[in-house]
Amino acid sequence: MCILLSVHMQIGWTPLSISGQYSHLMILTVDRRFKILEKSGRKWNVITDISQILYQYLSSRPTEKLHTKSPTCSREEASLRNARSKCYSLATNCWSWGSPREAELFTGQMSGHVIHYSVSRWAESRVTAVYKTQLKEISCIKFCEVSGETRILIACGSDGRVEVLKVGRNMSSLGYLWEDLDRLVVNKIVIANVCKDEISLVLAKGSFCIQLTLRILNGSKIEVLKPSIKNTGMTRIVGLECHHDKLVYVNQKSPIQICDTDKLTSGDCVNIDVSRDNFFCQGM
């Protein structure tokens, strides 16, 4: 669950399985700082600075050499690009909680890295893995399980591509869920349905709702069925949720709309016209 605000880029809550009786507040600020806070009286106090934990982890390791000297790239330019990549790896864009049984958290970074954290019951965190995706910058991630055994992470890039990662002791890429470099950024993913070996997802991609069915073959390959695409209007989608078999979405300066997930391409939908003083809260 997350809410978009003007001051903080995103806010959300920790799962009760992590926090105990009460959830803790999670804040991702506009300067890409990621923190967990706890309420004490009328004040919110920082109990875990995840960005600081990541900084300490990366500082203890050598700079990852993603760029090397070549005929088109000098040694100084390669060093500058590697330093920039390390700085961008500290900037968090999004997060997704993993399996409640594992008490794990994933974040997507501006550098295209996915950070895997282990989180204790008292919200103490440590970095367990850093994985470089094939994406330059990650805009949205979503964790899901298929058949209770295969754990995957959907990572969306700023260039429009969507990559599927297999989560285990080490993360690995299973390929692309969406390979077109269309520059339509995905800012929200919801799970519409989960069957034995396949999962149905809905992506908010610009002004389009895209429903994709993903099959996992032998735990190491993916098969993507033909997508259903709905053009929701002239402005981008800013809110998207799935409730039972209904899809709830809203565009900028538009009323909330509700439609059936199995009739995404049809024109049948219900509009809920609300005043502009109200806000759409994801996670209803």
Side-chain angles (χ1 to χ4, degrees):
M1 178 178 68
C2 80
I3 308 169
L4 298 182
L5 297 177
S6 57
V7 178
H8 303 297
M9 196 172 94
Q10 293 182 44
I11 67 172
W13 302 95
T14 60
L16 287 177
S17 59
I18 300 296
S19 312
Q21 186 176 2
Y22 301 102
S23 291
H24 296 307
L25 181 66
M26 306 177 70
I27 290 182
L28 178 59
T29 59
V30 291
D31 60 353
R32 315 293 177 175
R33 300 281 299 182
F34 192 28
K35 302 176 182 180
I36 299 178
L37 295 85
E38 182 180 45
K39 191 174 183 181
S40 177
R42 302 176 67 179
K43 301 175 71 174
W44 288 94
N45 300 316
V46 176
I47 57 173
T48 305
D49 189 334
I50 297 178
S51 296
Q52 182 65 26
I53 293 170
L54 178 60
Y55 171 75
Q56 293 172 351
Y57 177 86
L58 295 178
S59 297
S60 65
R61 282 155 176 75
T63 302
E64 189 177 12
K65 294 183 178 180
L66 299 175
H67 305 278
T68 56
K69 182 182 177 181
S70 67
T72 59
C73 180
S74 66
R75 181 179 300 174
E76 292 76 13
E77 187 176 0
S79 298
L80 181 61
R81 289 181 179 179
N82 288 326
R84 181 179 62 183
S85 177
K86 186 169 185 178
C87 291
Y88 282 5
S89 65
L90 292 169
T92 301
N93 276 346
C94 51
W95 80 82
S96 177
W97 285 98
S99 170
R101 302 186 305 273
E102 302 293 337
E104 55 190 357
L105 174 69
F106 300 91
T107 62
Q109 311 301 116
M110 283 186 67
S111 59
H113 287 83
V114 168
I115 314 296
H116 185 187
Y117 296 89
S118 174
V119 186
S120 73
R121 186 171 179 80
W122 304 108
E124 295 179 355
S125 307
R126 65 180 181 89
V127 178
T128 58
V130 177
Y131 179 77
K132 180 66 176 76
T133 68
Q134 301 177 67
L135 309 171
K136 289 186 177 180
E137 180 179 347
I138 297 178
S139 62
C140 181
I141 57 174
K142 183 70 173 181
F143 175 87
C144 44
E145 287 183 302
V146 182
S147 302
E149 299 177 355
T150 305
R151 303 159 65 234
I152 61 174
L153 191 70
I154 311 296
C156 307
S158 60
D159 56 9
R161 294 181 297 171
V162 181
E163 188 177 359
V164 181
L165 308 176
K166 184 177 180 179
V167 178
R169 181 172 297 179
N170 297 308
M171 278 189 277
S172 59
S173 177
L174 296 179
Y176 286 108
L177 181 65
W178 188 272
E179 199 169 4
D180 291 345
L181 294 164
D182 53 23
R183 297 288 177 180
L184 293 175
V185 178
V186 176
N187 56 40
K188 180 69 176 177
I189 308 170
V190 297
I191 299 174
N193 190 29
V194 179
C195 298
K196 182 179 179 182
D197 295 316
E198 64 182 38
I199 183 168
S200 178
L201 304 166
V202 180
L203 282 62
K205 193 173 179 62
S207 63
F208 297 92
C209 273
I210 301 177
Q211 185 174 21
L212 293 160
T213 299
L214 171 68
R215 289 178 179 169
I216 308 295
L217 306 177
N218 300 323
S220 59
K221 295 182 180 179
I222 61 172
E223 179 185 6
V224 183
L225 304 186
K226 184 178 180 181
S228 298
I229 303 175
K230 180 182 182 67
N231 188 351
T232 63
M234 297 296 292
T235 56
R236 73 181 182 94
I237 299 169
V238 294
L240 179 70
E241 278 298 327
C242 188
H243 183 66
H244 297 303
D245 60 343
K246 305 296 181 184
L247 191 68
V248 184
Y249 61 91
V250 63
N251 298 65
Q252 289 175 318
K253 299 183 179 180
S254 299
I256 297 173
Q257 299 187 64
I258 304 174
C259 68
D260 293 333
T261 54
D262 58 350
K263 298 179 181 178
L264 190 64
T265 56
S266 70
D268 298 334
C269 62
V270 177
N271 290 348
I272 303 176
D273 197 1
V274 296
S275 70
R276 300 313 302 168
D277 294 332
N278 295 329
F279 298 90
F280 180 83
C281 175
Q282 301 177 20
M284 60 178 59

